[in-house]
Amino acid sequence: MKQSSEALPIACLLGPTASGKTAAALMYAAAQASAAHARTVEIVSVDSALVYRGMDIGTAKPSAEERAAATHHLIDIVDPAEAYSAANFRADALRVTGEIVARGNIPLLVGGTMLYYKALTQGLNDLPGADPAVRAQLDAEAARDGWPALHARLAQVDPATAARLAPNDSQRIQRALEIFMLSGQPMSALLAAPRTNAAREDEAARYRFVPIALEPSDRGVLHKRIERRFDAMLAAGFIDEVKALRARGDLDPNLPSMRCVGYRQAWEYLDGAIDYATMRDKGVFATRQLCKRQLTWLRAMPERIVVDCCAADATAHAVAAISAVAHAQG
């Protein structure tokens, strides 16, 4: 995206799940609040799960105390029965960032949904919107034949997309087939095409988004953190949280909210399809797979500032990197 030489630098603390983003963001906010020339930090969430109300434990949503320590935006803004897209995020994030800057405060973007970050910084591709009829047709076919069969069909029409998706990745397989059915073109080709909307010259050009990436020097360390955190979620009442969501009666496992990592596995368990131990193992595995995808996105950003999230002083290094970007705001 073309940016003005006077573009305002905005720090974006990105990283996979359990990499320590929240701790670093709050430490930076606290440091700014106690500085000689104190400036207020406001955090803008870059997370597709935190937008949903009533989904607190399984999303590792910042606690009430953490949210009281610094204002957080784009959390608890959507009902789980509703959809929220990358386009919605882009519009909301630009609006909120502009409001924070207008108040004279420091915006800090924090999260791990890399598609949201890409939409914010590079604009949106001209992909067709969701079509309930097409999705219902694909869901019916998947119920009859299984998602691996639909994955095989996707491999025939869009081999590039199919190659990067697991045979049971229902959400992404469905979306890729939906795009092909609506446009007649493979999603991989549409994503590679030049963006034709006004994204290049819009409000985002006012800012220079600077990615600071919390990445593990030893992925095994992060895997252990993920396992401990998933167990902590279970101990904190995650299954009861999903029970309460199911009890509403208007949610189903095909909704984007219920496809979030952990919620899908808990729903399966409550359906009686798998036992508790299997649910736990599948939840941990799915979270590790999410982590892998997040790292793949990050490593495709040569401009990122890398902080080893396995280091003992990772939080301090992340705070220093954020401070350097904020200092350039003047």
Side-chain angles (χ1 to χ4, degrees):
M1 179 179 296
K2 183 180 178 181
Q3 293 173 322
S4 163
S5 59
E6 298 178 358
L8 187 70
I10 305 290
C12 304
L13 185 61
L14 308 174
T17 184
S19 58
K21 299 183 294 293
T22 297
L26 291 175
M27 180 177 283
Y28 173 70
Q32 281 299 308
S34 62
H37 301 286
R39 291 183 67 190
T40 300
V41 175
E42 298 188 43
I43 295 170
V44 181
S45 170
V46 187
D47 191 299
S48 60
L50 298 190
V51 298
Y52 295 112
R53 293 187 288 271
M55 295 172 58
D56 303 328
I57 299 172
T59 62
K61 195 171 285 179
S63 67
E65 293 77 16
E66 289 170 333
R67 292 165 72 174
T71 299
H72 285 66
H73 299 274
L74 306 190
I75 292 178
D76 290 339
I77 58 172
V78 180
D79 185 87
E82 300 170 358
Y84 187 79
S85 68
N88 295 140
F89 168 78
R90 188 174 198 273
D92 287 344
L94 287 172
R95 172 182 55 78
V96 167
T97 297
E99 292 168 354
I100 295 169
V101 171
R103 285 191 285 272
N105 294 340
I106 301 174
L108 173 60
L109 276 63
V110 181
T113 300
M114 304 309 167
L115 178 62
Y116 281 9
Y117 180 77
K118 182 179 180 183
L120 177 65
T121 58
Q122 298 180 27
L124 295 156
N125 298 91
D126 294 323
L127 299 179
D131 187 303
V134 170
R135 293 194 170 188
Q137 176 187 336
L138 291 169
D139 282 335
E141 292 174 5
R144 184 186 68 230
D145 304 326
W147 284 107
L150 271 69
H151 181 266
R153 187 197 306 175
L154 178 63
Q156 294 178 331
V157 299
D158 189 353
T161 299
R164 63 180 180 81
L165 299 182
N168 283 304
D169 193 342
S170 56
Q171 183 177 2
R172 292 177 178 83
I173 293 169
Q174 182 189 64
R175 178 59 176 151
L177 283 171
E178 176 187 40
I179 287 170
F180 181 78
M181 292 166 70
L182 292 172
S183 70
Q185 299 182 66
M187 185 173 76
S188 55
L190 292 174
L191 289 173
R195 291 163 177 78
T196 57
N197 59 19
R200 293 179 181 275
E201 303 298 335
D202 70 2
E203 186 183 355
R206 295 174 49 198
Y207 309 114
R208 178 169 60 86
F209 297 103
V210 182
I212 299 164
L214 285 164
E215 299 178 22
S217 55
D218 180 353
R219 199 174 294 187
V221 171
L222 202 53
H223 284 179
K224 289 177 182 175
R225 285 189 200 172
I226 286 169
E227 188 171 3
R228 288 195 300 269
R229 189 164 79 165
F230 197 81
D231 286 338
M233 289 175 179
L234 290 171
F238 176 45
I239 297 301
D240 288 335
E241 179 173 272
V242 182
K243 280 182 182 176
L245 291 164
R246 284 165 60 96
R248 290 177 31 154
D250 63 339
L251 303 178
D252 67 71
N254 294 313
L255 286 167
S257 60
M258 294 299 102
R259 286 176 170 171
C260 289
V261 166
Y263 290 85
R264 185 185 317 192
Q265 293 75 26
W267 194 289
E268 273 190 281
Y269 165 66
L270 292 170
D271 268 346
I274 55 176
D275 61 24
Y276 186 89
T278 302
M279 176 275 298
R280 184 262 184 195
D281 290 345
K282 288 183 73 171
V284 170
F285 178 76
T287 310
R288 288 177 176 176
Q289 291 298 106
L290 170 62
C291 170
K292 182 179 179 181
R293 291 194 299 272
Q294 290 169 315
L295 288 171
T296 298
W297 278 91
L298 282 172
R299 287 167 181 164
M301 300 179 192
E303 74 280 14
R304 73 196 190 285
I305 300 165
V306 178
V307 175
D308 178 11
C309 67
C310 298
D313 55 355
T315 301
H317 278 292
V319 168
I322 297 167
S323 298
V325 175
H327 181 72
Q329 292 179 9

